[in-house]
Amino acid sequence: MRLLDTTTLKLHEFFGSEIPYYAILSHRWGADEVTFQDLQQGRGPTMAGWAKIVGCSAQARKEGWEYAWIDSCCIDKSSSAELSEAINSMFQWYRNSQVCYAYLVDVPTEEEDHWGEGSAFRMSEWFTRGWTLQELLAPDAVFFFNRGWAEIGTRRTFSKLIASITSIHEHFLEGGFKAASVAQKFSWASKRRTLRVEDTAYCLMGLFRVHMPLIYGEGNDAFTRLQLEIMKISDDDSLFAW
């Protein structure tokens, strides 16, 4: 697992029991994100996505975390083997984090009534993405930040609000999601979207505790493979109802 030093903003690689405590970032990808190659070649500070890396690192450092994990720059996506391993491990990486920072770039610094009908928090695209479903549920602690990196609440304090936005019951938001049926989990994901068709299946692997190879280009067959993998480990008939 590759982690970012929150002071030097350099990458370090760790294995097995050597992995230190770390904070983890949940965010929507935007234009000009800093990739692994950008960071290695020193282009990061010139890119729009650099502010997000600096903001996450500063917050983690302030809370005493020496390392952080950010998907945009901690995975070498030019390696198909590394990308496959990362996606198959990602749910557990979020699960094992000490804290998750959910950065909502579309929530302005001046908004105060996040509970209000039509608030930027309610309408944030973070709640519409496929990958952020596991990032909402897996960590023990999730803290929400607005565009200016000001903390606006936690998964616990916002549980009723998040339940109304996502249709995920509060019990499942606070660690009880393992007891949810297969059909319930699929329903949570049904209104979310991913950029690539295959990711509609790949982003759910951790939630169902299954692993499978990535085959970009297979289209909707990825979702069929996901269902077959779930059938191998579960006798939950709600899969067929779904």
Side-chain angles (χ1 to χ4, degrees):
M1 184 182 193
R2 198 176 286 116
L3 294 172
L4 185 73
D5 186 306
T6 58
T7 300
T8 66
L9 302 186
K10 302 293 184 182
L11 293 171
H12 300 272
E13 200 156 3
F14 300 93
F15 300 93
S17 60
E18 296 179 353
I19 297 173
Y21 290 155
Y22 60 92
I24 201 163
L25 178 67
S26 175
H27 66 116
R28 281 173 44 238
W29 276 53
D32 212 25
E33 293 285 355
V34 179
T35 67
F36 170 78
Q37 285 75 21
D38 294 325
L39 200 60
Q40 293 295 86
Q41 295 170 23
R43 293 191 296 264
T46 68
M47 303 174 68
W50 184 247
K52 190 185 301 182
I53 290 176
V54 171
C56 175
S57 298
Q59 182 63 36
R61 191 168 61 250
K62 184 168 69 175
E63 295 182 6
W65 307 118
E66 188 176 354
Y67 295 100
W69 188 87
I70 303 173
D71 60 348
S72 53
C73 64
C74 289
I75 305 172
D76 180 2
K77 297 175 184 64
S78 67
S79 166
S80 58
E82 180 171 330
L83 180 61
S84 180
E85 179 184 359
I87 289 180
N88 274 278
S89 304
M90 204 172 293
F91 186 91
Q92 199 57 45
W93 288 349
Y94 276 90
R95 188 74 175 157
N96 292 342
S97 67
Q98 271 51 63
V99 62
C100 175
Y101 302 140
Y103 178 61
L104 310 189
V105 69
D106 49 3
V107 175
T109 55
E110 60 270 15
E111 182 176 73
E112 295 182 0
D113 183 15
H114 305 293
W115 294 76
E117 200 67 34
S119 70
F121 183 87
R122 282 184 179 274
M123 304 303 292
S124 175
E125 289 194 22
W126 188 88
F127 291 109
T128 71
R129 308 304 296 175
W131 290 104
T132 55
L133 177 59
Q134 66 175 3
E135 295 162 16
L136 170 65
L137 295 172
D140 284 339
V142 179
F143 290 77
F144 291 93
F145 293 84
N146 65 20
R147 184 184 301 155
W149 277 101
E151 183 184 326
I152 56 178
T154 70
R155 186 180 59 196
R156 182 176 295 277
T157 61
F158 278 167
S159 61
K160 289 185 184 297
L161 177 56
I162 295 170
S164 70
I165 296 169
T166 62
S167 299
I168 303 174
H169 192 278
E170 290 178 70
H171 168 70
F172 296 131
L173 288 171
E174 286 306 322
F177 63 88
K178 291 180 181 178
S181 70
V182 171
Q184 283 176 308
K185 292 176 183 177
F186 274 134
S187 73
W188 301 340
S190 63
K191 296 179 181 179
R192 293 172 179 259
R193 62 183 186 274
T194 58
L195 184 62
R196 304 187 68 163
V197 173
E198 297 85 357
D199 284 339
T200 60
Y202 301 157
C203 72
L204 299 178
M205 292 192 297
L207 193 59
F208 289 104
R209 293 180 293 173
V210 301
H211 302 277
M212 60 188 200
L214 310 187
I215 310 174
Y216 283 106
E218 67 177 326
N220 290 321
D221 287 346
F223 201 80
T224 301
R225 285 201 298 128
L226 174 66
Q227 291 174 303
L228 291 172
E229 291 299 320
I230 295 170
M231 287 173 62
K232 292 178 183 178
I233 64 168
S234 172
D235 57 2
D236 186 345
D237 292 339
S238 71
L239 171 63
F240 303 106
W242 175 256

